[in-house]
Amino acid sequence: MWVFYLISLPLTLGMVVVTLRYFAGPAVPRYVVATVGYAWFCSLSIIILVPADIWTTLTGSAKGGIGFFWSWSYWSTFILTWAVVPTIQGYEDAGDFTVKERLKTSIHMNLLFYSIVGAIGLIGLILLLIMHRAWDGGIVGFAMACSNTFGLVTGAFLLGFGLSEIPRNIWKNADWSHRQKVLSHRVAKMAVKLDGAHQEYSNAIVVAQATSNQMSKRDLLRPYMDIIDNMVAQMLREDPSFKPSGGRLGENDMDYDTDDKSMATLRRQLRRAHEEYYRCKSEYMTCVMEALKLEDTIKNYEHRDANGWKYVSSFRESRSGTLGSLLDTIEFIWCCILRKQLQKAFAVILGCMSAAILLAEATLLPSVDLSLFSILIKAVGKQEVLVQVAAFVPLMYMCVCTYYSLFKIGMLMFYSLTPRQTSSVSLLMICSMVARYAPPISYNFLNLIRLGDNAKTTFEKRMGNIDDAVPFFGRGFNRIYPLIMVVYTLLVASNFFGRAIDFFGSWKRFKLQCEEENIDGLDPSGMIILQKERSWIEQGYKVGEQVIPLARNFNGVSTDIESQNVPLVRFHLH
């Protein structure tokens, strides 16, 4: 039973390491990387353990090993999510100058959160004692069920959004014309956003330098100011291309030298402005490079006969020799022909999988087994590896859909996952979210495969009975909330909520940002920026190195950019 698990475990570890190296910013401490990596590994371990648990349940073999690994993964994830990660996150976000003060700030920030969680747990325990019910898993099982009920309900809506949006976006992005329009609008918005972050970062540096200049060397707060001065100097040394501009002092910007807490606030704001600027710059660079490469692809396809079906890139020198010519042809076939078709095929496959998941969720209430995954697992019941693969693939897809929605919401409000520029606080927040939703997603999937009324996996036994945790809905809660999710997904797929929010214009700020909709054409400002970036690359500059003065011209007309009414006569480009 361990064949699939032993293969998946090192692959999971490798994926976690690669993902962390790709997203973690340069200033993220090693202990944060280790904490996030361990939490992700434990969360994904739960997901890859579920197929092995299904196999042992179907065959009736010993489950001692499953129980041990499940307890290790679940409780590691639980402790990290609810105790360790929030504490480290508050510590990393604090601007205090000593370890003790940063810990105190972190504990103070999390005290309200812990109090609310404790109060909810106490209320649940009181209800348990009052109702005198025979809870299958005891108090621990009931507590686990309660803690995961929130994840099940919210996770169902996150899953529903991802099931609809992922296949649709992949299909849309396979259309070069649509993708080019999207990227032109996104580049314009990213440039304006980058300019705003540049001004905030410049302002933070100006305020820090002005505060330092007015502070006496004999001031009691001078040691704290020296730390901030060194921080500013190091930031400017790390990126000599950054030129502060647009920094300006406000009415209260010189009030940071009153006590150590105000100095901690200054340090925190400086660090946040630094992180936000480089996050916006990374997103802008990624978007511009994708748009420019797409332009190359379209140009190569249109001139395929003239180029001899060879890919000509504007970002590298032409390959020489027979092998170089062959590689150019292979690159052309892949970029201009195969990739587009494979994207569409992949979107169709994921769309079918989404439909199969929705059908399985919708038929839980009438107790009709129309779950494709249940039928497939039972059909290959004697093949260990096939059973576990048949369980793992849809389960992983459900996780991807849920996490996709989480990241979309996070980018809108709380955190962001940016290549090589994700801050410690964002990494820890994402780590907490990923860990919090892994068990509920797995539990939901186990409901879809219907092993039978008497067959329960170790996971289900340890998880606690969710029906008992929500007695107000009777014992059918596991069958009711998936049906609500199905209705919600169908509404998302038909863009019902988008139309409703557009109808009530004042609600647009609540709209979840997804791929741009109703784009009629290319954004003129975005196309100007892309033309200038290509020109700068040809002159030897890096992407984003010269865009700030140009983006500043667009910053004053950001509203017009979004409505595509761009007064081009205002821009004087040289």
Side-chain angles (χ1 to χ4, degrees):
M1 75 176 190
W2 298 109
V3 176
F4 179 81
Y5 186 71
L6 293 177
I7 294 174
S8 302
L9 209 59
L11 290 177
T12 301
L13 180 60
M15 183 178 68
V16 168
V17 172
V18 170
T19 304
L20 271 175
R21 292 189 62 180
Y22 180 70
F23 285 107
V28 176
R30 290 184 178 179
Y31 70 88
V32 172
V33 173
T35 302
V36 173
Y38 182 68
W40 282 359
F41 180 69
C42 290
S43 303
L44 294 176
S45 295
I46 292 176
I47 295 168
I48 64 175
L49 192 61
V50 169
D53 199 1
I54 292 172
W55 169 253
T56 58
T57 302
L58 288 174
T59 59
S61 55
K63 300 183 181 182
I66 291 287
F68 169 77
F69 282 106
W70 190 91
S71 296
W72 162 68
S73 298
Y74 181 84
W75 289 113
S76 293
T77 301
F78 186 89
I79 294 171
L80 284 166
T81 300
W82 296 102
V84 177
V85 170
T87 303
I88 298 177
Q89 183 180 337
Y91 177 85
E92 282 296 306
D93 193 42
D96 299 276
F97 298 89
T98 64
V99 173
K100 181 180 178 181
E101 289 300 318
R102 291 177 75 180
L103 281 174
K104 285 174 63 178
T105 301
S106 174
I107 293 172
H108 178 75
M109 288 172 57
N110 285 287
L111 190 60
L112 178 62
F113 173 74
Y114 290 136
S115 300
I116 294 173
V117 172
I120 293 174
L122 181 61
I123 292 172
L125 183 59
I126 293 173
L127 286 174
L128 172 64
L129 296 175
I130 292 176
M131 299 178 73
H132 297 292
R133 295 189 61 176
W135 309 98
D136 295 339
I139 293 178
V140 175
F142 173 75
M144 292 170 63
C146 287
S147 69
N148 287 294
T149 299
F150 175 80
L152 279 167
V153 176
T154 57
F157 290 98
L158 295 172
L159 172 62
F161 181 82
L163 289 174
S164 168
E165 289 300 306
I166 289 179
R168 178 162 58 185
N169 286 340
I170 293 176
W171 179 270
K172 283 184 177 180
N173 292 339
D175 182 352
W176 291 339
S177 176
H178 171 80
R179 189 60 181 168
Q180 194 172 32
K181 293 174 185 177
V182 169
L183 290 174
S184 69
H185 285 258
R186 190 174 297 172
V187 165
K189 293 178 182 178
M190 289 291 182
V192 173
K193 190 176 180 182
L194 176 61
D195 175 57
H198 185 279
Q199 292 190 44
E200 289 297 324
Y201 185 28
S202 299
N203 188 58
I205 291 176
V206 168
V207 170
Q209 292 174 337
T211 304
S212 178
N213 291 336
Q214 76 169 7
M215 185 178 292
S216 168
K217 292 184 178 180
R218 293 182 295 274
D219 196 301
L220 294 177
L221 299 176
R222 190 69 220 186
Y224 298 144
M225 193 69 243
D226 289 339
I227 294 175
I228 296 176
D229 286 341
N230 292 333
M231 183 178 174
V232 172
Q234 182 181 356
M235 288 176 176
L236 296 177
R237 279 197 307 269
E238 289 175 350
D239 186 7
S241 66
F242 177 81
K243 300 294 186 289
S245 61
R248 54 195 179 278
L249 297 177
E251 295 181 1
N252 301 320
D253 284 341
M254 299 306 297
D255 295 337
Y256 288 109
D257 58 348
T258 55
D259 54 31
D260 57 341
K261 287 296 181 184
S262 65
M263 297 298 291
T265 301
L266 174 60
R267 185 187 183 200
R268 180 169 177 260
Q269 289 183 349
L270 179 62
R271 187 176 66 237
R272 280 192 164 189
H274 173 268
E275 292 172 349
E276 179 66 13
Y277 168 70
Y278 285 101
R279 183 185 71 81
C280 291
K281 186 176 181 180
S282 175
E283 291 179 348
Y284 171 80
M285 292 170 61
T286 302
C287 191
V288 167
M289 288 302 298
E290 183 184 351
L292 295 179
K293 288 178 179 178
L294 180 59
E295 286 181 1
D296 278 359
T297 300
I298 295 173
K299 185 178 178 180
N300 274 276
Y301 184 76
E302 291 175 347
H303 299 85
R304 57 189 180 277
D305 293 328
N307 293 337
W309 287 58
K310 291 179 175 56
Y311 194 91
V312 180
S313 175
S314 60
F315 298 101
R316 59 169 173 76
E317 297 293 334
S318 299
R319 299 186 179 103
S320 59
T322 305
L323 181 60
S325 177
L326 177 62
L327 291 175
D328 286 339
T329 302
I330 293 173
E331 186 175 3
F332 174 86
I333 293 173
W334 166 249
C335 293
C336 299
I337 300 176
L338 286 181
R339 184 166 61 184
K340 184 177 183 178
Q341 303 305 323
L342 288 175
Q343 275 185 281
K344 290 184 176 180
F346 189 50
V348 171
I349 292 171
L350 293 185
C352 293
M353 192 174 294
S354 293
I357 291 173
L358 290 175
L359 179 62
E361 299 273 14
T363 53
L364 279 175
L365 186 61
S367 299
V368 179
D369 191 0
L370 295 179
S371 171
L372 176 64
F373 315 112
S374 176
I375 296 171
L376 185 61
I377 288 173
K378 292 174 182 177
V380 296
K382 296 183 179 180
Q383 304 294 325
E384 177 182 349
V385 176
L386 290 179
V387 168
Q388 297 187 43
V389 170
F392 177 76
V393 172
L395 175 58
M396 182 55 70
Y397 179 58
M398 291 172 68
C399 291
V400 170
C401 290
T402 304
Y403 296 149
Y404 171 84
S405 304
L406 269 176
F407 295 152
K408 282 290 184 181
I409 294 174
M411 291 173 67
L412 184 65
M413 293 181 287
F414 307 113
Y415 49 84
S416 63
L417 196 63
T418 310
R420 296 180 180 84
Q421 290 298 335
T422 307
S423 66
S424 298
V425 176
S426 289
L427 270 180
L428 290 164
M429 177 67 79
I430 293 167
C431 154
S432 179
M433 293 293 102
V434 168
R436 197 166 294 171
Y437 281 96
I441 296 170
S442 301
Y443 187 88
N444 184 16
F445 176 74
L446 287 171
N447 284 331
L448 300 183
I449 60 173
R450 309 206 184 176
L451 297 178
D453 295 334
N454 298 324
K456 275 195 174 184
T457 61
T458 303
F459 188 97
E460 291 174 294
K461 293 176 181 177
R462 300 285 185 89
M463 186 83 163
N465 196 328
I466 305 298
D467 285 339
D468 287 341
V470 194
F472 307 102
F473 291 96
R475 303 192 63 85
F477 177 73
N478 275 330
R479 300 178 179 181
I480 293 175
Y481 81 87
L483 190 59
I484 298 173
M485 184 269 283
V486 171
V487 175
Y488 167 77
T489 307
L490 295 176
L491 293 175
V492 170
S494 62
N495 197 30
F496 170 81
F497 296 107
R499 294 192 183 97
I501 291 174
D502 290 337
F503 180 77
F504 299 98
S506 60
W507 290 6
K508 287 187 177 181
R509 62 182 179 273
F510 300 111
K511 192 172 183 178
L512 184 63
Q513 292 180 344
C514 54
E515 295 293 343
E516 286 79 354
E517 298 172 355
N518 301 322
I519 294 177
D520 297 326
L522 298 169
D523 188 297
S525 54
M527 297 308 295
I528 291 173
I529 293 172
L530 288 173
Q531 291 171 8
K532 296 298 291 184
E533 284 288 3
R534 186 178 288 280
S535 174
W536 289 326
I537 291 173
E538 292 172 354
Q539 296 172 31
Y541 293 103
K542 295 180 180 179
V543 175
E545 197 170 338
Q546 300 289 320
V547 74
I548 293 301
L550 176 61
R552 193 144 296 168
N553 290 324
F554 292 106
N555 206 346
V557 290
S558 58
T559 303
D560 291 328
I561 287 175
E562 293 185 7
S563 63
Q564 301 183 20
N565 297 320
V566 183
L568 296 178
V569 295
R570 291 185 54 182
F571 307 136
H572 304 286
L573 305 177
H574 302 286

